[in-house]
Amino acid sequence: MSETKVSQATLKISRTIKAPAERVYNAFLDPDQLAKWLPPGGYTAKVYKMDAKVGGTYRMSFTSIDKKDHSVFGGKYLELTPHSKIKYTDSFETDVPALKGEMVTTITFRPVKGGTEVNVVQAGIPKIIPLEMAELGWGSSFNNLAALVEMPELTEAQRKASEAVGKRIEAAGKAK
C-alpha cells in the first residue's frame, strides 16, 4: 500500500498585542483562555485535553456556529520557554487524505514598546487549506486574543475610581 504525499505550505504571520508577554503567553497555555480566543470568527472551540509541558499533549475542536463544520485536532508540545516561545505539533483527526499529516507551529513572543510582538510560523499546512484562509483565521484569532488580554486605556478619572474600588475591597477584606 503506498502512502499519499500531502502537499504543504507555511504561514508566517505576526501581530503586536498591547499586553505583557507573560499575559499573552499564558493565554496560549490555559485551556479556558485558549477556547475563548483561538477559534476564528464564526466558530467555537472546545479543549478536551491540555497538558502544557514539553512532551505533553493537547486535543481540541472547532465547530462552526451553524454546526456544518467540525474539526478535531491535537498534537504535542515540543518546546515551552516561558513568556518567549511555544512550539507544538498539530494534526487533524480525519479520514480525508488531503488533510493528513503533521503541522509544526512555532510562536515567539518579543516584548516591544507598548506590548508584545507575537510571531507565528505554521509549517506543514495541507495545501487543501488555502494559505489565505489560514492567514484570515489567524488574523481573526489575533483579534480575539487582543480583546481578551489587552487592558483598556483608562482616563485619569477612571484610574482614580478603579484605585478607590480596590481600596474599598481591601478594607472590606480586612474588616472580616
Side-chain angles (χ1 to χ4, degrees):
M1 182 171 169
S2 67
E3 209 173 288
T4 304
K5 175 88 171 126
V6 178
S7 298
Q8 300 173 340
T10 298
L11 173 69
K12 295 179 182 181
I13 189 168
S14 67
R15 177 80 60 93
T16 297
I17 304 292
K18 297 176 188 171
E22 179 178 6
R23 187 179 306 153
V24 180
Y25 177 89
N26 290 340
F28 278 81
L29 299 178
D30 178 283
D32 294 331
Q33 291 181 53
L34 189 69
K36 287 179 183 174
W37 72 264
L38 187 59
Y43 285 80
T44 60
K46 183 171 183 176
V47 178
Y48 304 103
K49 176 185 180 182
M50 179 179 275
D51 186 15
K53 65 182 182 188
V54 174
T57 60
Y58 73 95
R59 184 173 182 262
M60 63 185 300
S61 66
F62 286 170
T63 304
S64 61
I65 300 297
D66 63 10
K67 306 290 187 210
K68 291 180 180 178
D69 183 27
H70 178 75
S71 299
V72 179
F73 54 95
K76 180 189 284 189
Y77 292 100
L78 303 174
E79 187 176 340
L80 296 170
T81 305
H83 319 139
S84 179
K85 184 177 184 180
I86 299 171
K87 185 174 183 177
Y88 59 90
T89 64
D90 209 6
S91 59
F92 292 103
E93 293 180 16
T94 181
D95 293 328
V96 178
L99 287 173
K100 296 280 187 184
E102 185 175 80
M103 295 177 277
V104 176
T105 302
T106 304
I107 303 143
T108 56
F109 307 86
R110 187 172 69 89
V112 295
K113 185 176 181 175
T116 302
E117 182 183 270
V118 181
N119 293 290
V120 174
V121 177
Q122 192 169 35
I125 298 170
K127 282 279 192 184
I128 194 171
I129 300 171
L131 207 50
E132 298 82 10
M133 293 306 293
E135 187 173 2
L136 280 172
W138 271 105
S140 180
S141 296
F142 276 144
N143 291 341
N144 298 337
L145 176 61
L148 180 67
V149 301
E150 291 180 352
M151 299 297 288
E153 295 288 328
L154 299 179
T155 65
E156 184 62 22
Q158 290 169 325
R159 188 185 58 72
K160 286 181 180 179
S162 177
E163 288 173 1
V165 169
K167 288 178 183 176
R168 283 191 292 237
I169 291 171
E170 184 179 327
K174 289 180 181 176
K176 284 190 170 193

